[in-house]
Amino acid sequence: MQKKDIVMSGIRPTGFLHLGNYFGALRNFVRMQEEYECYFMLADVHSLTTHPDTKELAGHVKRVLAEYIACGLDPEKVALYCQSHVPETTELYLYLNMLAYKGELEKTTTFKEKARSQPDNVNAGLLTYPVLQAADILLHRASLVPVGKDQEQHLEMSRNFANRFNHRYGDLFPEPKAFNFGSGLVKVPSLDGAGKMSKSENQSATIYLSDSDDAIRKKLMKAKTDSGPTAPNTVKPDYIENIFQLMRLVSDEATLVSFEKAYDECRIRYGDMKKQLGEDMVKFIAPIREKAESIRNDEGYLRSVMEKGAAKAGASAAATMEKVRAAIGLKYY
Ligand code: TYM
């Protein structure tokens, strides 16, 4: 039998999951579980780089795990685990740190953003964040990494670290690639037209998988629009394109086409469009929210999923680390 390609990805448990996480990452995870050997992780160690206060961590970890499953991930088919439960991650992270240069780490966009937003806590973990991410991926010798557009640079760095390791110590790691079914990587914009949906910033312009029906409708009604185009077939401004993009994600084709046509013919009514989008969004999110809530309340089940995931991921990690230590020359007999 041909060996399956290996898939790895993760999400930081720093808050509630949102549409960006779903369409950038989770939707791909769910489809990939049928065809590949998959490792999906909760990046709890990464979250310490920005959220040193861990009061809410356990709650977020359990909630995100429940949301993973509610979105369709099957713990029997994939390894669902917490990063901190696979300590080999930190060993590989340490070795990869010797192959990562200060200059390239300082130039990383996410590092520069975080250094700006938390000037009192520019810790070394923040600087070496992409090295830890590379360790997560290379630990399973994964070649496909389903992520949203914002992770592109981190993936490029993972490839660089893998290549440097291979070059120095012999071929061991495949080159990991960012993956999305369909065309390019996805970026789900925020509803105010400024930036992307996010777990902790911009909450009124982000739709969460845990939002109530009412909250979803209200947030969408407040999304930024204008008085509409004045000439046929006008190029859409970004914030209007965003609303169409959300409609493309959750509405049916006929609905989308009818609003596209109304826009091109300058007779669009954004109030109606947002109302329709609200209903389609509620239909999409409500079943996920309800399922996640019921899974979240089953602590025994969540614990068994976590333990099983850690055992599966741990076995894969242990096998890789044997090879890593031997390749580096840390085996003396
Ligand atoms: P995180 O937790 O910020 O986001 C998790 C996933 O959701 C995607 N995403 C989005 N996609 C489209 N539009 C958006 N608005 C949007 N917001 C978030 C992200 O691209 C990501 O795929 N560093 C990672 C976590 C990580 C990881 C890994 C990922 C740790 N180790 C190993 C892959 C492989 C992060 O912070 O994702």
Side-chain angles (χ1 to χ4, degrees):
M1 205 177 78
Q2 213 194 335
K3 219 172 158 308
K4 287 181 181 175
D5 281 338
I6 299 176
V7 174
M8 193 278 146
S9 194
I11 298 184
R12 277 170 309 145
T14 50
F16 292 100
L17 297 193
H18 52 76
L19 280 187
N21 300 132
Y22 183 82
F23 287 105
L26 272 164
R27 179 173 62 168
N28 286 309
F29 296 5
V30 173
R31 286 178 64 182
M32 292 176 101
Q33 71 181 336
E34 305 300 335
E35 291 172 47
Y36 301 99
E37 178 180 332
C38 295
Y39 297 87
F40 296 126
M41 184 226 14
L42 304 176
D44 52 355
V45 181
H46 270 119
S47 75
L48 300 177
T49 60
T50 51
H51 292 64
D53 181 348
T54 52
K55 264 200 301 295
E56 293 183 349
L57 181 61
H60 285 317
V61 162
K62 291 173 188 176
R63 173 86 212 175
V64 174
L65 185 59
E67 285 176 332
Y68 267 16
I69 300 166
C71 287
L73 281 178
D74 180 350
E76 300 298 321
K77 289 188 184 149
V78 305
L80 285 186
Y81 63 101
C82 290
Q83 192 177 26
S84 63
H85 293 173
V86 182
E88 286 86 349
T89 311
T90 44
E91 185 187 351
L92 183 55
Y93 163 65
L94 185 60
Y95 301 148
L96 293 177
N97 266 320
M98 320 312 177
L99 300 169
Y101 301 111
K102 179 170 162 274
E104 65 185 334
L105 296 171
E106 280 171 344
K107 270 193 262 160
T108 314
T109 311
T110 45
F111 172 71
K112 288 195 284 191
E113 278 169 11
K114 292 285 177 333
R116 221 174 296 133
S117 66
Q118 52 180 68
D120 297 333
N121 184 19
V122 186
N123 58 78
L126 208 52
L127 183 68
T128 55
Y129 184 111
V131 187
L132 183 57
Q133 180 158 345
D136 295 330
I137 298 168
L138 300 181
L139 195 57
H140 303 295
R141 303 168 81 198
S143 54
L144 299 175
V145 186
V147 284
K149 179 114 183 102
D150 60 316
Q151 294 296 311
E152 219 165 20
Q153 189 181 31
H154 287 167
L155 261 291
E156 191 187 323
M157 296 175 82
S158 294
R159 276 195 294 282
N160 289 340
F161 302 144
N163 285 331
R164 272 178 221 159
F165 184 100
N166 290 344
H167 186 67
R168 183 167 291 269
Y169 300 119
D171 264 352
L172 180 58
F173 297 120
E175 272 198 352
K177 286 183 211 59
F179 180 89
N180 178 46
F181 276 104
S183 50
L185 300 182
V186 175
K187 173 184 163 188
V188 178
S190 72
L191 297 173
D192 56 7
K196 60 183 174 96
M197 288 198 183
S198 143
K199 281 190 230 92
S200 39
E201 295 146 38
N202 233 351
Q203 300 194 348
S204 61
T206 294
I207 295 187
Y208 295 93
L209 300 181
S210 51
D211 275 344
S212 68
D213 293 355
D214 241 27
I216 295 169
R217 291 190 185 101
K218 278 198 189 119
K219 285 182 183 179
L220 282 169
M221 286 316 281
K222 276 203 236 140
K224 179 173 174 182
T225 51
D226 53 27
S227 52
T230 49
N233 305 315
T234 311
V235 175
K236 298 182 186 89
D238 283 354
Y239 49 93
I240 298 297
E241 178 53 36
N242 292 351
I243 298 177
F244 276 95
Q245 192 187 325
L246 291 174
M247 197 166 236
R248 255 170 241 133
L249 296 173
V250 296
S251 301
D252 61 34
E253 183 67 17
T255 306
L256 177 68
V257 169
S258 82
F259 284 103
E260 290 274 13
K261 197 156 177 279
Y263 180 87
D264 286 338
E265 294 170 0
C266 303
R267 53 180 177 75
I268 188 143
R269 292 156 61 129
Y270 289 127
D272 292 349
M273 183 178 182
K274 292 196 279 189
K275 220 183 234 153
Q276 177 69 47
L277 180 57
E279 293 319 308
D280 293 342
M281 194 64 83
V282 164
K283 257 192 243 150
F284 174 78
I285 288 185
I288 296 180
R289 180 188 65 228
E290 283 155 20
K291 198 163 172 209
E293 270 162 22
S294 93
I295 297 169
R296 170 66 190 90
N297 291 327
D298 192 345
E299 297 270 355
Y301 172 67
L302 286 179
R303 183 179 177 155
S304 73
V305 168
M306 250 187 224
E307 286 172 356
K308 195 183 198 141
K312 269 196 216 172
S316 152
T320 302
M321 288 317 292
E322 277 289 305
K323 294 190 172 74
V324 167
R325 291 182 208 113
I328 296 180
L330 296 169
K331 253 187 157 169
Y332 307 118
Y333 292 103

